[in-house]
Amino acid sequence: MLTGLTLTEARAGLAARKFSARELAQAHLDAIGRLNTALNAYITVLPEADVLASADAADARYAAGTAGIMDGLPIGVKDLFCTKGVRTTAASKMLADFVPPYESTVTANLLNAGAVFLGKTNLDEFAMGSANINSAFGPATNPWKRKGDEATALVPGGSSGGSSAAVAAGMALAATGTDTGGSIRQPAAYCGIVGLKPTYGRCSRWGTIAFASSLDQAGPMTRSVADAGLMLEAMAGFDAKDSTSSNRPVPAFHKAVGKSVKGLRVGIPAEYRAPGLPAEIVAMWEQGIAWLKAAGCEVVDVSLPHTRYGLTTYYIIAPAECSSNLARYDGIRFGLRKDAPSLDGVYEATRAAGFGQEVRNRILMGTYVLSAGYYDAYYLKAQKVRTLIKRDFENAFENVDVLLTPTAPSAAFAQGENMDDPVQMYLNDIFTVPASMAGVPALSVPVGLNDAGLPLGLQIIGKHFDEETVLSIGGALEAAAGFTHTPSIHAGAGA
């Protein structure tokens, strides 16, 4: 079944001419045609002729022996990356008809490596949310169902929920995501796939629609840890157009998977044992610790004392940066415009019509903490606490190689749950936000199912620019867990 392959398997099959890139692309287009109405994972699906033309070009490169590392591999692109000539909406009415005249650096790198784009995946509007329920194009739906309950639709996580749902359901071999406070890792855990947030600066932000510039980072969402390494190789690299882009060389990340992890020290942060953490999450975490011990790792207790301030600090800094970044949507230069008798009226009418409720909430929060009289009390203090959070990680990494934590405090919940309680919704990111605040790499790996039959993930956090060790540990965890489950809604179901 072509839609059930990993990137690594598909690449090997293409190289051996077991099937063509055209056949692979067509299988995924067919899957999208069957499943996208139910899952709403894609906002825009590229024309079949364009997708197949890209696949044919990849087949020609395989025949000529000039194939790149992503050649012929059909993937989804989160609709936050600008794609030249292809509508890019950020899941917002504000950009509902925006067609960029340029390509983001990350997607350009993937195209240069031969990737075949299937379409633009759904997300929370401007990447603000943890459940993909804030999209102007409707919510994306998790392909997993609770055991014995086929009727209840579950969230795929957010903000990269369309990407995670597409990969889990067999509608793409992999997809790009962005992670500001957990938006790759949490949806990966909810959908039973692998999600990697690289070190801040590893992938260029140029051409990616901004939410919070000091936190946003692109990364891969895949079916295996090796796939995440392979795709990151194609996505990463220095970009002179992004002042925060790192000039470090890009290693062969996928080769880190399968390396021995014997002797590596794994830290277990005491602060992540949060009060009220569900027993199923604790049990899965303890199982992960046992698996790594069996693989030869040394497990060490560590402390990250400022972790408890991570979420509150994030929800000051991220909205502040959002308020600044989204000021550009004024109805004058691009995007939606609502006419009014005065200039101020144009601004007000355009922004009221273009932004959804969650985006408006965050703009208001951000504007408040940046306003005169509150800047020092909130924003400046949050930046100081962020420095302390980063220092906690640096101190911990003097004694350990990686940290192991849960990815999320629960499995996927139902659409409609928690919607009236924004604080409860924000708590979904409690385990992912600290790594984002510190700018360190973090990987979510699916390790099992809970009693309701839903996937759970564990998170590996590493040192700055040490994605290779993170991937090595992730590979060991993946091999021990042997997670091979498929969701209820899948391209191969009934095939």
Side-chain angles (χ1 to χ4, degrees), residues 349-399:
T350 297
R351 291 168 71 82
F355 291 139
Q357 186 60 53
E358 182 61 27
V359 172
R360 292 201 294 267
N361 289 348
R362 297 199 193 194
I363 290 172
L364 287 169
M365 279 194 289
T367 303
Y368 177 81
V369 301
L370 290 176
S371 60
Y374 297 103
Y375 181 92
D376 288 355
Y378 292 105
Y379 185 72
L380 195 60
K381 188 172 286 186
Q383 290 289 20
K384 291 176 179 178
V385 175
R386 182 180 187 177
T387 300
L388 296 176
I389 292 170
K390 183 170 179 283
R391 193 173 298 159
D392 284 349
F393 279 97
E394 290 168 349
N395 291 340
F397 287 134
E398 289 178 4
N399 299 309

Side-chain angles (χ1 to χ4, degrees), residues 289-349:
I289 292 168
W291 281 329
L292 291 181
K293 280 182 178 177
C297 295
E298 181 184 349
V299 174
V300 181
D301 289 329
V302 299
S303 178
L304 301 170
H306 295 93
T307 289
R308 68 179 187 269
Y309 304 118
L311 208 60
T312 47
T313 303
Y314 174 84
Y315 278 103
I316 292 171
I317 292 173
E321 295 185 14
C322 141
S323 169
S324 176
N325 277 324
L326 270 61
R328 71 193 67 178
Y329 302 107
D330 53 13
I332 305 299
R333 286 163 287 190
F334 53 83
L336 182 72
R337 177 188 175 94
K338 292 292 182 182
D339 289 324
S342 67
L343 182 61
D344 284 354
V346 170
Y347 293 160
E348 291 169 3

Side-chain angles (χ1 to χ4, degrees), residues 77-209:
V77 176
K78 184 176 181 178
D79 203 13
L80 204 65
F81 294 89
C82 287
T83 42
K84 186 176 181 179
V86 177
R87 185 174 69 144
T88 300
T89 71
S92 177
K93 292 178 182 176
M94 187 65 79
L95 294 174
D97 299 311
F98 175 58
V99 178
Y102 56 89
E103 192 79 32
S104 80
T105 298
V106 162
T107 52
N109 288 348
L110 286 165
L111 289 171
N112 289 338
V116 173
F117 291 172
L118 295 165
K120 308 296 290 291
T121 59
N122 207 345
L123 65 146
D124 286 293
E125 184 181 5
F126 284 100
M128 298 180 199
S130 302
N132 211 147
I133 55 175
N134 298 324
S135 170
F137 297 87
T141 298
N142 196 323
W144 290 83
K145 299 286 187 181
R146 288 177 181 144
K147 197 183 298 179
D149 182 6
E150 291 293 314
T152 302
L154 305 179
V155 302
S159 63
S160 307
S163 289
S164 60
V167 175
M171 300 161 71
L173 288 182
T176 63
T178 62
D179 194 307
T180 305
S183 289
I184 287 174
R185 292 161 285 158
Q186 183 249 30
Y190 280 9
C191 289
I193 65 169
V194 173
L196 172 61
K197 182 198 86 70
T199 306
Y200 181 79
R202 177 66 86 178
C203 294
S204 170
R205 291 183 299 108
W206 193 84
T208 307
I209 296 171

Side-chain angles (χ1 to χ4, degrees), residues 404-425:
L404 180 71
T405 77
T407 305
S410 72
F413 51 90
Q415 291 177 358
E417 285 180 20
N418 305 328
M419 281 188 67
D420 297 328
D421 186 352
V423 174
Q424 190 61 43
M425 197 69 84

